[in-house]
Amino acid sequence: MTEAILLVGGRGTRLRPLTVHTPKPMVPAAGVPFLTHQLARARAAGVEHIVLATSYLAEVFEPYFGDGSSLGLHLEYVTEEEPLGTGGAIRNVASRLHSGPDDPVLIFNGDILTGLDIPALVRTHETTGADVSLHLTRVEDPRAYGLVPTDATGRVTAFLEKPQTPEEIVTDQINAGAYVFRRAVIDTIPEGRPVSVERETFPELLATGAHLQGMVDSTYWLDLGTPQAFVRGSADLVLGRAPSPAVPGRCGDRLILPTATVAPDAKLTGGTVVGDGARVGEGARITGSTILSGAVIAPGAVITDSLIGARAHIGERTVLTNTVIGDGATVGPDNELREGVRVWCDAHIPAASLRFSSDQ
């Protein structure tokens, strides 16, 4: 159908400590690196050639995905020596594209989990003759996003920064992070310096009379920028709420990878994932959480809506709710961590050291 650019160079600072050793697109969601789901959905839509725009920890992508043939794709990798922003990253990989000047090029942000109808976005782009087409989604509270109002035909009329007052909320439509560019438009982006498509490229195109088309697709959409969102996205993939052909198993309440060990009386629900080589002990209760490879969950631990990093160790009877435990960290027995706590990689919390409630 067409070729694509995947923007996977971000540092993932909001996801730390998950991204201390791993770039955000390579953090496992539903048993495989999140990027795998994006690549598989693009391939299912007919895309065959994808250029990955890498920067942070760029060296980990190619050893894992290679040339993409295992996914039925031809993958290429371009690394930014200095971060160039979304627009700069797109321009930086332009020489790897094979498309003609008027051909469509798909572009995806590397941290969005979506059920977008990709062929429908391309059809919208081609039938409207747009220079750039944007996937838009509707959100209940748009105050945290830039707004993208459109006219009756779907043509974009403005790009508005995050609204500060109720009067500024003129639409509930936001930029959902997937685009189709006419190939020649990519060449108009300044080369060799940081450029934001959201703050610079799109507004300038609009100001010069270019045709920017919006397509509202309000299927599943989630920005995986925070640990809480990432855990939810992984669970939704396992539960089948978010579509992906790359989930390594049937959708259901839990996903246990083949080399994991789970005690017969442990209870796993809510889209919980137990990664390769991880161990879950007797009587543990895990809901809506991700246990990464090699982690150990001791007997009687209770884990809810949390992410346990690779090789981490959670002690007996410890209770974790909405927390992130970094790679290699140890949380000793009888601790209680709640609501947004982040334990850094390789940290050690002794037994019965932290609680939110009485120890009785």
Side-chain angles (χ1 to χ4, degrees):
M1 180 180 64
T2 186
E3 56 186 347
I5 298 169
L6 255 170
L7 304 175
V8 293
R11 299 187 64 85
T13 52
R14 292 184 296 160
L15 272 179
R16 287 168 71 87
L18 298 178
T19 50
V20 170
H21 304 301
T22 307
K24 178 167 51 176
M26 295 299 288
V27 176
V32 296
F34 173 67
L35 178 57
T36 310
H37 299 289
Q38 291 187 304
L39 293 173
R41 292 202 73 247
R43 182 66 190 93
V47 177
E48 295 181 352
H49 177 224
I50 299 180
V51 184
L52 274 64
T54 68
S55 179
Y56 177 63
L57 297 175
E59 65 275 9
V60 309
F61 292 95
E62 189 167 2
Y64 187 90
F65 291 107
D67 63 3
S69 56
S70 63
L71 292 170
L73 291 164
H74 173 215
L75 297 182
E76 294 189 65
Y77 306 84
V78 177
T79 300
E80 302 163 31
E81 300 306 321
E82 297 291 335
L84 295 172
T86 47
I90 293 167
R91 184 66 180 87
N92 191 51
V93 306
S95 63
R96 301 295 185 93
L97 299 173
H98 309 313
S99 303
D102 292 322
D103 290 338
V105 178
L106 277 162
I107 298 172
F108 301 101
N109 283 347
D111 54 2
I112 301 296
L113 178 59
T114 176
L116 168 67
D117 185 339
I118 297 170
L121 181 62
V122 176
R123 285 195 302 272
T124 296
H125 178 79
E126 292 178 332
T127 57
T128 59
D131 295 299
V132 179
S133 297
L134 296 85
H135 170 209
L136 307 179
T137 192
R138 293 189 172 99
V139 294
E140 289 186 13
D141 184 359
R143 289 176 296 177
Y145 304 94
L147 308 185
V148 186
T150 54
D151 65 16
T153 68
R155 189 160 179 160
V156 174
T157 58
F159 289 91
L160 307 175
E161 286 299 310
K162 297 174 183 178
Q164 304 299 311
T165 66
E167 293 75 25
E168 292 178 304
I169 303 177
V170 298
T171 181
D172 60 356
Q173 296 174 178
I174 66 166
N175 177 357
Y179 321 110
V180 180
F181 274 65
R182 187 163 57 85
R183 170 67 180 86
V185 174
I186 293 175
D187 292 330
T188 68
I189 299 172
E191 193 171 8
R193 68 169 177 85
V195 180
S196 165
V197 290
E198 300 86 355
R199 297 183 183 88
E200 183 176 342
T201 305
F202 292 158
E204 287 183 358
L205 285 170
L206 208 58
T208 58
H211 180 174
L212 277 68
Q213 186 73 20
M215 188 192 85
V216 177
D217 183 324
S218 294
T219 53
Y220 186 97
W221 183 86
L222 186 64
D223 177 352
L224 301 185
T226 66
Q228 293 72 29
F230 200 96
V231 170
R232 178 183 155 198
S234 178
D236 285 347
L237 284 161
V238 174
L239 292 166
R241 295 171 180 166
S244 171
V247 176
R250 291 185 299 175
C251 293
D253 238 11
R254 63 186 191 175
L255 174 64
I256 302 172
L257 269 64
T259 60
T261 303
V262 177
D265 64 344
K267 187 174 182 181
L268 311 180
T269 59
T272 288
V273 181
V274 183
D276 280 321
R279 290 182 286 146
V280 178
E282 294 82 0
R285 289 182 288 139
I286 308 177
T287 303
S289 298
T290 295
I291 314 300
L292 295 184
S293 61
V296 176
I297 312 301
V302 179
I303 301 173
T304 305
D305 298 336
S306 297
L307 198 150
I308 312 303
R311 305 175 309 283
H313 191 290
I314 308 304
E316 295 181 357
R317 299 171 301 279
T318 281
V319 177
L320 305 178
T321 303
N322 192 18
T323 63
V324 178
I325 310 301
D327 296 342
T330 298
V331 181
D334 299 307
N335 282 291
E336 181 186 6
L337 308 180
R338 296 186 181 275
E339 306 314 324
V341 168
R342 305 185 191 207
V343 176
W344 229 247
C345 299
D346 301 313
H348 180 87
I349 298 178
S353 297
L354 295 171
R355 298 193 66 83
F356 279 68
S357 61
S358 167
D359 62 350
Q360 298 300 313

